[in-house]
Amino acid sequence: MDKKATLTLHDGRKLEFPVLSGSIGPDVVDIRTLYGKAGVFTYDPGFLSTASCNSTITYIDGDAGVLMYRGYPIEQLAQHCNFLEVCYLLLNGELPNAKQKSEFDGIVTHHTMVHDQLSRFFNGFRRDAHPMAVLVGVVGALSAFYHDALDISDPRHRTISAFRLIAKLPTIVAMAYKYNMGQPFIYPRNDLSYTANFMRMMFAVPAEEYKVNDVLVRALDRIFILHADHEQNASTSTVRLSGSSGANPFACIAAGIACLWGPAHGGANEACLQMLEDIGDVSKIGEFIGKVKDKNSGVRLMGFGHRVYKNHDPRAKLMRETCHEVLNELGLHNDRLFKLAVALEKIALEDPYFVERKLYPNVDFYSGIVQRALGIPVSMFTCIFSLARTVGWIAQWQEMIADPEYKIGRPRQLYRGAQRREIVPLAKR
Ligand code: CMC
């Protein structure tokens, strides 16, 4: 049965719109013809009730605390798959069989080196530049290095660019870190896994051999899996909007990275760790929570709350588990900030302020502690998130380009500025 929604306007006109159903999740009212029929727009700043596209990639049920990539629950993916299998899944819709996996891993592995001239690009940045500033610039610059496959109407070109981005992001992120540290760049090694190779490029120095620790590699791989996609969030919508004009994928991903940098999005784990440092001790939690509840203080409990999850963020639970594993492996189970985070989480979850507003820990609450334990400096956290999210951005961009309904994104506005007026000559103003 065709579902319909009826809108009654202020002048009494009744208009009918189709209601579209997805495979799961709420129905959406298709209002594309609203302006043509009635001459009015809808008003929805922040897209609180607006579906900007249709997608088959990621599903979130924020009330139930569910996250699935291509139908697979995040808990199962985190337990049974590695990051490159998840990349294959996000890009192709299905998990790979053994042959497909080996081919896919091989292609990614053989694209990990960057054009040698790109290394000189780094010299244009100050050493103390934030690595995210460097990342935005260098990823944007990739289109100047790999312009042999930038025809976005050619599916083969799109696939080549996708492989390049997924394969080269770890190399570029590690280079941004090494540049900041004043250490030489470490070239990728093709006999290592994607994540082990990244850790080596980050932490090896030419003077000594780097020992891969499987527990730590698995932890970082899980961070990558948990951050790989999250449907139409701010940075993904930025990538889609940039791509809707026909911009090349490197430019679109650079735009996504810029958006992710903000503290309300990807920068939250950095802000969360800073918050734990500022609180300093379990005895100060009460005072801090008091500030959070005081609307005039402007203080938020970082790593808590989410636009979509009004229940536990399933990624936060997996991240807490990984946090335990990493701290145990490194003999840091008495880590001061971890203990503080656990105590803060417990107190907040019992406080009516957070309960009433359905504010639960999100993925960032524990990811900063894990990354710090892995030796990743705070300023690199959002770069790690960018690395992991690149596959999601690319999958969403690919989906958009291949969608026959895709159009340039062009929101409308409710104009509240001055009405027409005439210029008064300068001498008379
Ligand atoms: N601490 C204190 N109060 C909060 C918080 C928080 N972290 N988050 C929301 N609130 C309050 C907010 O003040 C408001 O209260 P009231 O109704 O009295 O005005 C109510 O909860 C609803 O907040 P909102 O700002 O309308 O919610 P939103 O959906 O627009 O914001 C958010 C979502 C993630 C921006 C917000 O929860 C936040 O700022 N959290 C802290 C930053 C953070 O951890 N961000 C990472 C998000 S997860 C990573 C990702 O997926 O990118």
Side-chain angles (χ1 to χ4, degrees), residues 86-132:
V86 170
C87 289
Y88 186 100
L89 173 71
L90 287 168
L91 292 168
N92 299 297
E94 297 297 337
L95 282 167
N97 61 28
K99 183 167 171 282
Q100 290 163 329
K101 178 169 162 37
S102 131
E103 270 170 22
F104 185 82
D105 289 4
I107 298 173
V108 171
T109 303
H110 287 94
H111 278 85
T112 47
M113 276 178 61
V114 292
H115 192 293
D116 209 44
Q117 216 176 326
L118 193 78
S119 56
R120 274 182 253 154
F121 199 83
F122 284 81
N123 292 330
F125 292 95
R126 281 171 53 137
R127 289 252 176 215
D128 60 357
H130 195 292
M132 280 298 278

Side-chain angles (χ1 to χ4, degrees), residues 3-232:
K3 294 185 203 164
K4 302 259 183 232
T6 307
L7 172 71
T8 307
L9 288 167
H10 52 284
D11 58 11
R13 274 182 298 162
K14 283 190 191 310
L15 300 171
E16 229 175 44
F17 297 96
V19 174
L20 311 177
S21 298
S23 39
I24 29 176
D27 288 344
V28 303
V29 183
D30 178 355
I31 48 113
R32 279 176 290 182
T33 56
L34 175 65
Y35 182 64
K37 280 180 180 165
V40 296
F41 298 130
T42 54
Y43 183 62
D44 187 16
F47 298 103
L48 294 174
S49 298
T50 298
S52 61
C53 61
N54 67 68
S55 180
T56 59
I57 301 174
T58 293
Y59 176 76
I60 303 173
D61 181 338
D63 293 322
V66 168
L67 168 62
M68 299 190 289
Y69 298 159
R70 304 280 192 186
Y72 294 108
I74 191 70
E75 293 83 356
Q76 290 186 25
L77 292 166
Q79 207 180 341
H80 301 295
C81 298
N82 69 22
F83 178 63
L84 280 190
E85 276 173 274
V86 170
C87 289
Y88 186 100
L89 173 71
L90 287 168
L91 292 168
N92 299 297
E94 297 297 337
L95 282 167
N97 61 28
K99 183 167 171 282
Q100 290 163 329
K101 178 169 162 37
S102 131
E103 270 170 22
F104 185 82
D105 289 4
I107 298 173
V108 171
T109 303
H110 287 94
H111 278 85
T112 47
M113 276 178 61
V114 292
H115 192 293
D116 209 44
Q117 216 176 326
L118 193 78
S119 56
R120 274 182 253 154
F121 199 83
F122 284 81
N123 292 330
F125 292 95
R126 281 171 53 137
R127 289 252 176 215
D128 60 357
H130 195 292
M132 280 298 278
V134 176
L135 198 61
V136 172
V138 174
V139 171
L142 288 178
S143 43
F145 285 87
Y146 300 105
H147 38 74
D148 56 331
L150 287 185
D151 178 1
I152 64 156
S153 62
D154 182 338
R156 205 179 112 70
H157 279 208
R158 298 204 296 269
T159 303
I160 294 171
S161 294
F163 273 118
R164 282 180 170 156
L165 276 157
I166 293 162
K168 293 181 200 311
L169 248 287
T171 314
I172 294 169
V173 168
M175 287 169 93
Y177 174 59
K178 289 297 193 194
Y179 183 73
N180 185 260
M181 294 286 286
Q183 291 182 0
F185 297 141
I186 302 290
Y187 282 89
R189 258 199 24 205
N190 290 355
D191 59 333
L192 293 176
S193 72
Y194 184 86
T195 304
N197 182 38
F198 172 64
M199 288 186 83
R200 185 177 166 277
M201 288 191 289
M202 284 282 288
F203 302 123
V205 286
E208 54 188 67
E209 204 30 65
Y210 176 75
K211 271 212 188 94
V212 172
N213 176 321
D214 290 337
V215 175
L216 305 188
V217 167
R218 181 71 202 141
L220 189 57
D221 201 73
R222 180 177 269 196
I223 291 181
F224 291 166
I225 292 172
L226 299 186
H227 288 84
D229 195 49
H230 214 226
E231 53 116 310
Q232 309 311 319

Side-chain angles (χ1 to χ4, degrees), residues 5 10 16 74 155 188 235 251 256 290 322 344 377 386 411 427:
H10 52 284
E16 229 175 44
I74 191 70
S235 57
T322 297
L344 182 58
S386 308

